[in-house]
Amino acid sequence: MSFFLTQALVFRNLAQNPLRTLFTVMGIALGVAVFLAIQLLNRSALAEFEKSVTFLSGDSNLEIVSETGQLFDEHILSGLTWLWHENSRYTPVVSFVAALVSKVERDEPELVEVLGLDFMRDTPLEGWEFTQEGTPKDFLDIFKANCVYVSEGFARAHGIRLGDTLPLQLTDSQENVKVSGIYRTNSGTASIAQNLILGDISVIQDLFHQPERINRIQLTVPSHEVSLFQKRLQAQMHPGLVVQTLAERQKQLEKMLASFHINLQALSMVSLLVGMFLIYNTMSISILRRRVEIGTLRTLGLTRGQIFRLFLTEASVLGIIGMALGVALGVGLAQGGMAGVSKTLQTVYGASPLRQLDLSWVLLSISGLVGFLVTLLAAFPPIWEATQVQPALASRPSEESTRAQKRAWPLLGVGLLFLLLAAWACTWPSVDRIPVGGYAAAFLLMLGFAAMTPFVVLQTARLIKFVAEQMSFWRLQLAFANLQRALAKTSVAVASLMVSVALVVSIATMVGSFRSTVTDWVNQTLKADLFIEPTLRTYSPSAPGLSPEIVASIKKLPGVEAVDDFVERPISFRGEPTRLGAGNFQVLQRYGNLRFVGGQSHQSVFERVVSSPHNIVVSESFATRFNIRPGQMLSLPTPRGPLRLEIGGVYYDYASELGYIVMDKALYRQYFNDASSTSMAVYLAHGEEPEQLRQRILNTIGKTVPLTIRQNRELRHEVLRIFDNTFAITNVLLIISIVIAALSVAITLFTLVLELEAHLTLLRYLGAQINDIRRIILIQAGVFGALGGTLGILNGYFLSLILIFIINKQAFGWTLFFEWSWVFIIKLFLALLVGSVAAGWIPAQKQVTLLKPEVLRRA
Amino acid sequence: MDPSFPIVRIEQVSKYYPAHQVKALQSISLQIQVGERVALVGSSGSGKTTLLNLIGLIDTFDQGEIFFEEKPLSCLSEAERTNLRRARIGFIFQFFNLLPTLTVFENVALPLQLNGLRQKKQIQLQVNDMLAQVDLSERASFFPHQLSGGQMQRVAIARALVHRPVLVIADEPTGNLDSETGHEILGLLERSCQENGQTLVMATHSAEATRICNRQIRIHDGKQAHNL
């Protein structure tokens, strides 16, 4: 096909329908933007971690860490000296989280990671050097008490110079450190370097009162013998210590974030799906409008292949423009969403903060390409339809309506088949915690409802037209006759709206059910009067807990009846990241009120658990992930070797999808040699005022240890705040999907009115008033909203069941209690009606103002 | 093509529309010679347009055979029919069917380009010549919506004739025009076909239109009534 033809038939058509072109491009751009933004955020989070590992590890290729996430004794180093003779080396590392004192009082303290390295021998850091002004006057200063190096960026941000003193808030004390050097890192280094304070390992151990304790040992062994060294080293390790490659560490983080990332990926797919329907809608309408034109072209000798290429070019042009805009928009969207995602990753998962996007050309290209391919995929069915237009149709334009009506019944059958397939997909098990069956069921359900839409529209139009005829409501009769006549276009538009409404209803119902479940859970299980935790832990789960002395002094305070001092830490179980918690089971038995799976009462479970020292409880998500049931035994790695434990009960918990293993504190102390507590639940004596006790604690212990103390209702409120923050990105994506859907409806209404222009003009010639025409158009617009809304709500109901009982359960292991909000549904339905009528208002105004004789020639 | 051979030979052709349970054509047999101008007449729904579509290779039949330039159409693939239609036939429709996004010049140039003519000068020459014949040279850059009904039909005639087809198919070419414009259009068609030795097959209700034809074929309820 010549360029002239393409230019004349494709580009001019796009230019002559600017609104349609604009809306379609926007739809594609938004779909691509959301997809790219999610990819960028997911990729950047992992890249940030990768870069921080590279920066902190240098050329190390193995590391020794505690399986239980604890500090361990550095004396183990003496057993590693053989490595020197094997062309290998090793270095110990210790790291802690602290906050800048001047920033602690702010809403959110500025956290720093304080890293202790062996400056005497070998620092594993990659690509760093001192700045000119920051070069230490004496390189031996780093071995002096409280002397540290800070990064150039950090020094600039806080106006720090060489020799300055920096006040740091540690968990239970404040310390001044002296800046004896300022370093810079290579470009491309992880943003972790920005808030990284370096010191000699013994200085940092002393600063944090953890003498001779380390987090990890980094090893550099001959690269071709890594696995051999890994085996040899593992053989000499104490129980609870594990030798792993850096790739294994990376994999652990990927596993930890898997559900979070998959959830976001699914949402980005939703945007693409809605975008696909928009593209399908606009291409279908474009082709349906031009059937006579296509027939003429075929009559004049254009082959089916040429028709195919013609419309493929049109879709490609739209796809390329949408892709380019979408990529730009996606980067902006990712920049905007970075802070929120970073905070969720940091506070919920303890991951590195996200300060910059990993803008790789490969990712940008892939996302753009995905958007382009999705455009072509969505455009394919209508384009194929275009190639099937018979040349004879040029003289029989009314054929389209008959064809569409005839197809309604077979499509109903196809739709029902899809629904059956969706029901079958619901029974599939998950694959690596990815709810493949759930996603397939959701997609099939959407397709099923979309396929049934023409039948529903046709039958509704027929029924109401019949009733209107009987009652002589001529405007209603004409409006429904028009819908029936333009069934193909009407059905595509209603299906588009239906998909968007279904997504809104299902995601809102899922989030609402989740929130309501969490609210019930919080109300039932949070029974203590005060909840105390070190302020630093509020912002970083890796910050250390409270010392036993502080816990003991709070227990002794007058008015305190009981304290459940809880400790939690990340651990690895069967090679998967999860969490270990330990609390005072006797206090929990007496004051707590956990809800157990299977309907067992809190009392009955804890009576059994307390009486047997090796009995534990686990959270539902843990039980689901590892397929564990009450009464089963499990083996937990501890510093004293494997510990065999019996599952006393599985409790409902929504704090982390990684799951919890919870044991009695006494057993934990015995096996983990750790007396610290990460939080405390305080039960007051009858008549005691929580606020008074809070003030008493803040005025005494709180003077030296920054504590966050929340009353019962405050903590409940905080839990829901975190919940809402976590779902903030979901809401943003939802709004974008609604915008895409609104574009879809607007395009359809504009097109439909244009289609009926001749018909409506004829009515005006025959004596219909301006208001009559306006009402007919508005009735049609309202019918769109009502039909799309009703089908969407019905579809959304089933979709929300899949989301809650299949996808959520398989991905996160949570049981959510289904809650269907009629108030929300009615509001949404009314909003759809008003929105559709409003969308019809502009074409209605445009149509009724002019009487165009030339239009009648097309009647 | 030898003028003594028929350009179209139809033998016992029937066409059904099962969806509407209509027998559109039943056992039609006729021949159309090269250079003939044939009018298909009959009431609405009699099957004129269906027969025209079959002769014009834009629809298929269920029984019998049609020979176009002695080639049996039932043996041709869809692509072969398209190629034949593109090169040998010109179409004129009642509702003009001009492509709205193309100018008058581009609409007329379209068949030339579809037939593989690439030289711009040659295209310009042929199209300008054709537009001069239909007296629309000054409207070459106009779009269809800027033209009157008569002007649109003249463009359609120019488009139908520009690639010098052997057969011109016209479906109610004056059905949408006033009598004066219709008269003008018919004159143009007659003149063009005579000058170029083209065969014309026209479905019409108009008595005036039948006057420019050598022969009339009456169709009644899908059957051939008689030749006039």
Side-chain angles (χ1 to χ4, degrees):
Chain A
M1 178 136 14
S2 72
F3 175 74
F4 155 71
L5 272 182
T6 311
Q7 181 265 341
L9 294 171
V10 174
F11 292 95
R12 267 187 225 161
N13 182 56
L14 293 177
Q16 285 176 7
N17 296 285
L19 211 59
R20 182 182 80 92
T21 306
L22 178 74
F23 283 7
T24 311
V25 164
M26 275 170 67
I28 298 169
L30 284 172
V32 171
V34 171
F35 180 77
L36 173 63
I38 297 296
Q39 302 305 316
L40 274 176
L41 290 169
N42 280 353
R43 172 73 209 130
S44 301
L46 289 176
E48 190 61 45
F49 180 75
E50 243 171 75
K51 281 194 280 183
S52 68
V53 168
T54 309
F55 173 66
L56 295 175
S57 309
D59 61 353
S60 314
N61 43 21
L62 281 177
E63 63 179 11
I64 299 169
V65 292
S66 160
E67 219 172 346
T68 54
Q70 291 175 282
L71 295 175
F72 56 93
D73 201 312
E74 69 178 14
H75 287 118
I76 187 179
L77 291 164
S78 57
L80 299 177
T81 48
W82 61 270
L83 284 164
W84 295 110
H85 310 293
E86 301 266 358
N87 197 22
S88 306
R89 58 185 199 280
Y90 57 88
T91 182
V93 178
V94 67
S95 76
F96 298 98
V97 172
L100 291 185
V101 166
S102 56
K103 312 283 182 183
V104 172
E105 299 307 322
R106 288 192 335 191
D107 283 348
E108 200 170 320
E110 182 163 353
L111 301 181
V112 288
E113 185 172 357
V114 184
L115 200 63
L117 306 168
D118 190 351
F119 279 92
M120 191 74 84
R121 284 195 288 191
D122 184 18
T123 60
L125 298 188
E126 187 188 73
W128 70 291
E129 60 185 11
F130 290 109
T131 63
Q132 205 173 356
E133 301 79 26
T135 306
K137 291 191 178 90
D138 182 350
F139 283 93
L140 292 178
D141 280 350
I142 196 68
F143 301 108
K144 291 179 184 165
N146 291 12
C147 281
V148 295
Y149 300 149
V150 298
S151 75
E152 185 183 26
F154 184 80
R156 199 182 306 124
H158 298 283
I160 296 167
R161 289 182 186 173
L162 201 65
D164 282 358
T165 299
L166 192 64
L168 284 186
Q169 177 63 56
L170 316 185
T171 308
D172 49 9
S173 63
Q174 281 187 12
E175 296 284 348
N176 286 328
V177 292
K178 186 182 170 194
V179 177
S180 55
I182 298 172
Y183 67 91
R184 71 159 71 96
T185 54
N186 291 341
S187 59
T189 306
S191 57
I192 188 176
Q194 167 79 14
N195 277 24
L196 191 66
I197 292 178
L198 306 178
D200 185 65
I201 189 159
S202 57
V203 172
I204 301 302
Q205 285 169 335
D206 290 343
L207 184 70
F208 283 84
H209 313 297
Q210 295 287 348
E212 300 180 345
R213 309 283 287 169
I214 54 176
N215 286 89
R216 60 180 184 271
I217 301 167
Q218 292 185 189
L219 306 105
T220 308
V221 300
S223 55
H224 57 285
E225 288 181 307
V226 173
S227 57
L228 182 70
F229 274 85
Q230 187 179 10
K231 277 181 198 153
R232 285 175 67 185
L233 285 160
Q234 189 63 62
Q236 74 172 89
M237 286 301 118
H238 300 305
L241 289 182
V242 64
V243 185
Q244 63 183 21
T245 62
L246 295 183
E248 282 166 348
R249 198 211 296 192
Q250 171 78 13
K251 208 165 175 86
Q252 285 277 319
L253 184 97
E254 281 175 18
K255 278 182 184 171
M256 192 172 79
L257 299 179
S259 297
F260 179 75
H261 284 175
I262 288 167
N263 191 22
L264 285 181
Q265 295 277 22
L267 282 169
S268 73
M269 293 296 168
V270 164
S271 301
L272 276 185
L273 186 71
V274 178
M276 271 179 87
F277 263 89
L278 175 85
I279 297 156
Y280 176 78
N281 185 8
T282 50
M283 282 307 291
S284 293
I285 286 171
S286 167
I287 284 163
L288 286 170
R289 277 194 67 197
R290 292 156 74 185
R291 282 180 78 84
V292 174
E293 196 180 323
I294 297 166
T296 305
L297 285 168
R298 292 278 288 120
T299 304
L300 293 177
L302 241 72
T303 60
R304 287 190 171 147
Q306 285 174 314
I307 294 284
F308 185 83
R309 286 199 291 279
L310 197 70
F311 283 98
L312 192 69
T313 308
E314 184 169 318
S316 304
V317 169
L318 291 170
I320 288 168
I321 302 172
M323 175 185 81
L325 280 176
V327 167
L329 202 62
V331 173
L333 200 63
Q335 291 280 7
M338 194 166 65
V341 170
S342 174
K343 200 168 172 186
T344 303
L345 288 173
Q346 233 183 318
T347 53
V348 179
Y349 298 96
S352 315
L354 194 54
R355 291 199 178 87
Q356 64 182 47
L357 292 176
D358 185 39
L359 286 173
S360 82
W361 282 109
V362 176
L363 190 61
L364 295 183
S365 311
I366 288 174
S367 297
L369 195 65
V370 166
F372 182 66
L373 291 178
V374 159
T375 305
L376 296 191
L377 193 68
F380 184 79
I383 293 176
W384 181 254
E385 184 90 349
T387 64
Q388 302 307 305
V389 171
Q390 294 299 321
L393 198 73
S395 52
R396 286 206 303 274
S398 62
E399 188 78 356
E400 169 211 328
S401 166
T402 322
R403 274 160 52 93
Q405 293 190 27
K406 271 196 293 184
R407 277 186 187 176
W409 276 99
L411 278 173
L412 175 72
V414 171
L416 290 171
L417 181 68
F418 278 137
L419 295 192
L420 283 175
L421 288 173
W424 175 56
C426 285
T427 61
W428 300 355
S430 65
V431 179
D432 278 345
R433 286 173 64 209
I434 300 172
V436 181
Y439 291 137
F443 190 65
L444 286 166
L445 187 73
M446 286 284 187
L447 287 183
F449 266 84
M452 292 193 299
T453 303
F455 178 81
V456 175
V457 173
L458 182 64
Q459 298 308 328
T460 310
R462 276 183 183 159
L463 180 72
I464 300 181
K465 194 178 131 212
F466 174 75
V467 174
E469 273 168 11
Q470 303 307 309
M471 300 176 78
S472 300
F473 291 149
W474 68 272
R475 290 183 204 89
L476 202 62
Q477 190 185 333
L478 275 173
F480 278 88
N482 288 341
L483 287 177
Q484 191 181 333
R485 183 170 161 262
L487 181 68
K489 299 179 193 78
T490 317
S491 301
V492 171
V494 170
S496 252
L497 182 62
M498 179 272 296
V499 167
S500 305
V501 173
L503 290 169
V504 171
V505 168
S506 58
I507 294 179
T509 302
M510 189 267 286
V511 175
S513 299
F514 202 162
R515 200 175 193 281
S516 146
T517 305
V518 169
T519 308
D520 280 354
W521 168 68
V522 163
N523 289 341
Q524 191 173 341
T525 57
L526 292 185
K527 291 293 175 193
D529 300 292
L530 288 177
F531 296 88
I532 305 172
E533 66 176 334
T535 301
L536 290 188
R537 275 195 70 85
T538 317
Y539 301 99
S540 170
S542 53
L546 298 163
S547 65
E549 294 74 31
I550 289 173
V551 174
S553 56
I554 290 173
K555 278 182 180 172
K556 280 183 208 153
L557 285 171
V560 173
E561 187 170 293
V563 170
D564 176 17
D565 49 326
F566 194 78
V567 63
E568 75 167 273
R569 59 173 65 259
I571 59 158
S572 176
F573 178 73
R574 294 182 189 167
E576 299 276 335
T578 184
R579 285 172 191 265
L580 172 67
N584 189 326
F585 272 12
Q586 281 181 341
V587 173
L588 203 55
Q589 180 189 10
R590 187 164 168 203
Y591 297 96
N593 190 24
L594 294 179
R595 267 198 332 213
F596 282 87
V597 174
Q600 289 171 288
S601 74
H602 174 90
Q603 278 308 324
S604 67
V605 172
F606 272 92
E607 268 169 28
R608 193 170 57 246
V609 168
V610 167
S611 62
S612 170
H614 283 196
N615 237 306
I616 56 165
V617 292
V618 296
S619 72
E620 186 196 14
S621 38
F622 178 87
T624 308
R625 277 182 71 195
F626 297 101
N627 197 21
I628 280 170
R629 291 193 177 83
Q632 270 185 283
M633 303 295 289
L634 60 80
S635 177
L636 190 70
T638 77
R640 291 184 53 192
L643 172 62
R644 279 185 66 76
L645 298 160
E646 187 185 344
I647 311 295
V650 175
Y651 68 99
Y652 289 111
D653 177 273
Y654 303 92
S656 167
E657 77 264 23
L658 296 177
Y660 279 93
I661 301 169
V662 182
M663 61 174 62
D664 187 51
K665 195 75 182 278
L667 187 67
Y668 173 79
R669 263 198 301 269
Q670 186 187 342
Y671 277 86
F672 288 84
N673 193 26
D674 175 21
S676 70
S677 302
T678 49
S679 65
M680 296 169 70
V682 179
Y683 299 88
L684 301 187
H686 186 68
E688 281 295 326
E689 266 300 311
E691 185 54 33
Q692 281 179 4
L693 184 67
R694 169 156 70 177
Q695 289 308 324
R696 215 178 301 150
I697 297 171
L698 287 175
N699 291 333
T700 52
I701 302 157
K703 290 278 184 197
T704 50
V705 185
L707 294 175
T708 299
I709 306 177
R710 294 192 181 93
Q711 290 190 29
N712 190 300
R713 64 181 158 75
E714 290 171 338
L715 184 65
R716 291 179 197 193
H717 182 259
E718 179 63 14
V719 169
L720 293 178
R721 192 186 66 79
I722 292 172
F723 177 90
D724 292 338
N725 280 347
T726 310
F727 278 95
I729 192 155
T730 310
N731 293 334
V732 171
L733 297 184
L734 208 58
I735 289 167
I736 291 175
S737 299
I738 294 170
V739 170
I740 301 176
L743 291 175
S744 187
V745 173
I747 291 173
T748 310
L749 282 171
F750 267 83
T751 315
L752 200 66
V753 171
L754 210 62
E755 280 291 293
L756 299 171
E757 203 175 25
H759 184 88
L760 296 172
T761 304
L762 185 66
L763 281 177
R764 288 275 285 121
Y765 273 84
L766 294 176
Q769 296 292 338
I770 283 178
N771 270 341
D772 294 326
I773 303 295
R774 186 179 286 142
R775 274 181 217 161
I776 288 172
I777 296 174
L778 294 182
I779 288 171
Q780 284 174 194
V783 170
F784 265 110
L787 273 176
T790 308
L791 281 172
I793 288 167
L794 195 63
N795 186 1
Y797 176 82
F798 291 110
L799 201 56
S800 55
L801 292 178
I802 293 175
L803 275 176
I804 290 172
F805 296 114
I806 312 285
I807 294 179
N808 242 301
K809 183 72 183 165
Q810 290 187 353
F812 299 102
W814 287 323
T815 294
L816 305 184
F817 298 95
F818 186 74
E819 189 173 283
W820 182 254
S821 167
W822 279 111
V823 176
F824 169 74
I825 296 300
I826 290 167
K827 279 184 188 166
L828 178 72
F829 189 77
L830 290 176
L832 279 170
L833 273 186
V834 173
S836 303
V837 172
W841 185 257
I842 298 170
Q845 286 302 100
K846 190 184 163 210
Q847 171 59 35
V848 297
T849 48
L850 291 171
L851 271 178
K852 294 177 273 188
E854 74 275 10
V855 173
L856 282 179
R857 288 210 299 261
R858 301 202 295 268
Chain B
M1 183 78 198
D2 188 336
S4 61
F5 281 104
I7 188 165
V8 176
R9 182 153 58 90
I10 299 174
E11 288 181 357
Q12 296 294 312
V13 162
S14 298
K15 169 80 182 172
Y16 308 106
Y17 288 117
H20 303 105
Q21 295 183 326
V22 169
K23 290 180 180 172
L25 293 174
Q26 295 178 62
S27 301
I28 299 278
S29 293
L30 57 91
Q31 288 189 3
I32 298 168
Q33 303 298 324
V34 173
E36 249 195 310
R37 292 190 298 280
V38 178
L40 299 178
V41 295
S43 54
S44 294
S46 59
K48 300 190 297 292
T49 301
T50 304
L51 182 57
L52 212 56
N53 287 344
L54 295 185
I55 295 170
L57 280 62
I58 57 176
D59 210 347
T60 52
F61 45 90
D62 301 303
Q63 275 179 11
E65 185 60 275
I66 298 179
F67 296 88
F68 186 88
E69 294 180 324
E70 290 303 298
K71 285 188 204 88
L73 296 187
S74 60
C75 299
L76 299 182
S77 68
E78 211 282 324
E80 285 168 329
R81 282 208 313 274
T82 301
N83 287 337
L84 199 57
R85 189 167 67 229
R86 176 197 288 176
R88 309 291 284 165
I89 306 175
F91 287 89
I92 301 164
F93 304 95
Q94 180 181 359
F95 297 105
F96 325 130
N97 291 93
L98 299 180
L99 295 170
T101 55
L102 268 56
T103 63
V104 166
F105 182 94
E106 290 163 349
N107 261 291
V108 177
L110 190 59
L112 296 176
Q113 290 173 318
L114 290 175
N115 279 294
L117 193 60
R118 292 279 175 267
Q119 291 145 319
K120 218 172 171 181
K121 276 194 177 165
Q122 188 64 33
I123 291 174
Q124 271 178 340
L125 204 70
Q126 279 185 245
V127 173
N128 287 338
D129 180 45
M130 205 64 233
L131 286 177
Q133 283 187 42
V134 296
D135 201 19
L136 278 175
S137 298
E138 289 172 6
R139 297 278 191 274
S141 60
F142 281 41
F143 281 94
H145 68 269
Q146 296 168 307
L147 304 176
S148 68
Q151 287 170 328
M152 279 198 264
Q153 197 59 302
R154 277 192 277 157
V155 176
I157 290 172
R159 185 179 68 183
L161 302 179
V162 71
H163 58 301
R164 307 199 189 288
V166 291
L167 175 64
V168 177
I169 301 278
D171 189 2
E172 304 275 8
T174 56
N176 231 11
L177 302 172
D178 62 76
S179 58
E180 196 179 328
T181 315
H183 178 75
E184 184 194 328
I185 292 293
L186 288 170
L188 183 65
L189 254 181
E190 185 183 18
R191 201 170 58 245
S192 301
C193 288
Q194 267 177 350
E195 283 172 8
N196 299 310
Q198 288 155 323
T199 309
L200 173 71
V201 181
M202 174 168 58
T204 185
H205 283 116
S206 147
E208 191 186 357
T210 58
R211 275 199 288 275
I212 70 158
C213 296
N214 318 111
R215 184 155 61 111
Q216 289 181 39
I217 298 171
R218 182 166 294 281
I219 308 291
H220 180 69
D221 284 344
K223 294 174 192 155
Q224 187 179 346
H226 52 84
N227 288 358
L228 299 171

